[in-house]
Amino acid sequence: MQTSEIVLVGGSGKTGSRIIKRLEARGLTVRAASRSSARPFDWEDRSTWCGALEGASSAYVAFQPDLSVAWAALVIGALAKVAVDCGLEHIVLLSGRGEEGAQRSEAALKASGIDTTILRASWFCQNFSEGAFVEQILAGRLQLPAGEIREPFIDADDIADAAVAALTDPGHRNKAYELTGPRALTFRQAVAEIAEAAGRPIEYEQVSMAEFTGGLAAAGLPQGLTDLLEELFGQVLDGRNSSTMDGVAEILGRPATDFGHYARETAATGLWSA
């Protein structure tokens, strides 16, 4: 059992916030590293990195905006070298499934010589309740440039549980886990399950990429984020990640959470109520 300090780079995101709660519940010393934390961390200001990492033995890293961007591997490699210089022994990296940029970032991390645990994941269930899709879900119609490709949506709570296991059990060091849900669904099927759980009509409409990106621009989304979503829907969502994997069972010894369970639990909170 690990007992020394753990730092979470990206500690306020969907996975980081969940990991902090779990580690604190175990009585472990943990702190978030972000632009607004007591010891600030800024991906675009390397002078902040050592101060944010110093004193910790392990780190969980969720890169923003996404490991698929061209410059991610250089940054992850540089961060890993700083981590080693600051005395860290272990980094748990939230990586992407089937993304060349993520693969380059994993290689850069390993090249630093630090112990690693790689958690590969793709689309989160929580994109429908905490992320980019929630406003359209609430409005009753989700429009995306996604057709019949199936995706085994992963629950962020499963990722958080896996990260806690990796951070607290040295037996998971220098291993990689592919984390998926137990069932692959199209976006249309996922929305249908949300509508059934919420007890109200919610439609799914496939739109062209031009219509999608045009809508993002009209909504004022930054060009960089629009480009990232275009890559994820236009390239990564091509069926390469449709297969389900056993990573959750391998690291946690239990099955992955089904999308239907996520939908029912979220609907019960009233979040999707009209």
Side-chain angles (χ1 to χ4, degrees):
M1 173 69 74
Q2 185 144 354
T3 57
S4 51
E5 192 171 38
I6 298 169
V7 61
L8 274 69
V9 179
S12 60
K14 294 185 188 67
T15 58
S17 58
R18 287 171 164 83
I19 294 166
I20 284 180
K21 290 179 181 176
R22 284 161 168 77
L23 292 173
E24 289 179 338
R26 291 183 176 214
L28 297 177
T29 303
V30 58
R31 55 184 166 84
S34 67
R35 289 177 177 173
S36 59
S37 60
R39 290 201 238 170
F41 178 94
D42 188 339
W43 283 111
E44 298 179 1
D45 182 358
R46 298 187 184 191
S47 69
T48 65
W49 294 1
C50 189
L53 299 176
E54 204 163 30
S57 60
S58 296
Y60 171 81
V61 175
F63 178 72
Q64 295 293 328
D66 192 275
L67 292 178
S68 65
V69 301
W71 45 276
L74 287 174
V75 175
I76 291 296
L79 177 71
K81 290 177 182 176
V82 171
V84 170
D85 291 342
C86 291
L88 273 72
E89 302 167 357
H90 179 217
I91 287 180
V92 177
L93 177 68
L94 178 61
S95 188
R97 297 183 70 212
E99 298 176 10
E100 293 182 2
Q103 293 163 3
R104 290 193 295 270
S105 295
E106 292 177 17
L109 178 63
K110 293 175 182 176
S112 71
I114 198 168
D115 283 347
T116 66
T117 305
I118 307 297
L119 303 178
R120 300 189 186 111
S122 188
W123 296 93
F124 293 4
C125 298
Q126 281 73 13
N127 289 130
F128 297 93
S129 53
E130 302 173 24
F133 310 149
V134 65
E135 289 188 9
Q136 291 190 51
I137 291 290
L138 293 174
R141 180 190 293 265
L142 178 61
Q143 297 175 306
L144 295 174
E148 298 308 310
I149 299 297
R150 295 174 184 267
E151 177 67 29
F153 296 98
I154 177 73
D155 195 301
D157 284 313
D158 284 350
I159 298 175
D161 286 342
V164 169
L167 288 164
T168 56
D169 183 350
H172 297 302
R173 293 193 180 192
N174 301 314
K175 294 183 179 179
Y177 298 92
E178 296 251 354
L179 307 179
T180 76
R183 193 164 51 105
L185 301 168
T186 65
F187 278 84
R188 185 182 303 279
Q189 290 170 329
V191 170
E193 295 203 12
I194 289 172
E196 181 178 359
R200 70 180 184 89
I202 304 174
E203 299 179 354
Y204 178 79
E205 180 183 1
Q206 181 182 356
V207 296
S208 69
M209 185 62 76
E211 291 172 311
F212 177 64
T213 56
L216 297 178
L221 208 68
Q223 186 60 47
L225 186 52
T226 297
D227 292 344
L228 172 61
L229 289 172
E230 184 173 6
E231 178 179 346
L232 293 178
F233 279 108
Q235 298 181 32
V236 179
L237 190 67
D238 61 358
R240 73 184 71 176
N241 290 330
S242 291
S243 298
T244 59
M245 304 296 286
D246 295 328
V248 172
E250 290 172 1
I251 193 168
L252 298 178
R254 64 162 175 81
T257 302
D258 186 76
F259 189 88
H261 177 83
Y262 152 77
R264 291 188 295 275
E265 290 287 306
T266 304
T269 69
L271 175 69
W272 292 323
S273 298

